[in-house]
Every structure is written in C-alpha cells, then in structure tokens.
Amino acid sequence: MTPLQELIVRFQELVAQVPEFFQPFIVMLAGAIPFVEGELGAIVGIVGGLNPVVAAVAAAAGNFLSVALVMAFTGRARTAVVDRTRVKATVGGPATSDVHAVDGFAEPAPAQPMSKGRQRVITWLNRFGVPGASILGPFAIPTQFTAAVLVASGSPRRWVLLWQAVAIVLWTTVTTVTTWLALTHVVGV
C-alpha cells in the first residue's frame, strides 16, 4: 500500500467514526466556508468515503446557502447606502462635494485600493456580464466574495443568485468527477 493510499484509508476510518447521518452535514458546513467552498468540500467528502453524488450535493448546498446569506446582507447594505445617498442628495444638495454624475448622485472615492481579485471580477463583469463573472469568479476570489461584489456593483440579486448557482454546480461537478476518477483509476482506493 502506498503512503497516499494509507493516508486515505486512515482518513476514511476517522470519518467512519462519525454517524453516517451527520457526514453530509459536515461536508455541507465545509462547503459554506469561503476558500473551501463546494469544490474542496466535495473532495473532502469523497476522500472521506461518502458517495460522490452525496458529497457533491451537500458541498454545493452549503456553498449556495452561504452565498445566498452573503447576498442578502450585501443587498440590504447596498439598498440602505443608495437610499441614504439619494435622500442626502435630494434634501441637502449633492451627497458629496465631488459630484461626477449629472443627476447629482456621486460615487464616493474608494477609501482603499481594490484588491487584485476584486479588480478581476469587476473587469469580468464589464466584459462578460454577470454570467461570465460568476463562472470565472472562483479563479480570482471565493464565490461568496464574488456574489458580494456583483450585488454591491448594482447587478440584480436574482440574476446573480441564478448564475452563482450555475457556477457552484459547474465547478463542484467538475471537481467531484475529477476527484472520483483520480481516486478510482489513479490511486486505486
């Protein structure tokens, strides 16, 4: 037995100590963590001995639920800021002294420079729209952050949620199939 096979078998023995009913919920919680997401959550579930379909569905569900939660908070925060800016602009004149817009609504100067990941997502949003930014977003930043950036930039929430779901299912499926094939045909576990 190779060291990799031994490591996988020991990990599966460890996972077997957890009741089978709770194993998908642990994978779902792993999928909800940024940077782990559905992709790595499904890999952990498969390596742990779960059925690949169960692991993928649980990890994708956890990822999607966390994205939906982040989008709800981001959407409400954006709505509050936009409404407050409009009220200030209507009541007391321009909301800021640096007005670039014709209608009196200004974008405030960023307090700090954008990260490279956020810059990539904004570029992809401008170039490919919400579908392209959602599908390519995991290459730059986690899906939770991608969804927050898209909603904060003014994209419709339902459209972002739909395309985030498509991206989560797509990338979780790709990693699940790849991991299953690698474990079955390369590692032999």
Side-chain angles (χ1 to χ4, degrees), residues 7-17 23 46-50 183 189:
L7 178 68
I8 291 172
V9 168
R10 287 185 188 221
F11 182 66
Q12 288 176 348
E13 290 171 357
L14 178 68
V15 171
Q17 294 175 3
Q23 291 174 3
I46 293 168
V47 171
L50 263 69
L183 286 177
V189 177

Side-chain angles (χ1 to χ4, degrees), residues 139-153:
F139 289 117
I141 55 178
T143 53
Q144 294 89 345
F145 302 158
T146 302
V149 168
L150 294 175
V151 170
S153 69

Side-chain angles (χ1 to χ4, degrees), residues 61-83:
N63 194 357
F64 181 76
L65 290 174
S66 68
V67 166
L69 193 65
V70 166
M71 281 184 48
F73 288 129
T74 305
R76 287 185 182 161
R78 182 184 190 286
T79 301
V81 168
V82 168
D83 289 346

Side-chain angles (χ1 to χ4, degrees), residues 16-54:
Q17 294 175 3
V18 176
E20 284 187 38
F21 179 75
F22 291 115
Q23 291 174 3
F25 291 109
I26 293 171
V27 172
M28 183 183 287
L29 288 175
I33 299 170
F35 296 103
V36 173
E37 303 190 359
E39 295 85 7
L40 288 177
I43 292 171
V44 167
I46 293 168
V47 171
L50 263 69
N51 180 320
V53 174
V54 172

Side-chain angles (χ1 to χ4, degrees), residues 23 58 63 120 163 175 185:
Q23 291 174 3
N63 194 357
R120 283 188 197 129
W163 282 103
T175 56
H185 298 292

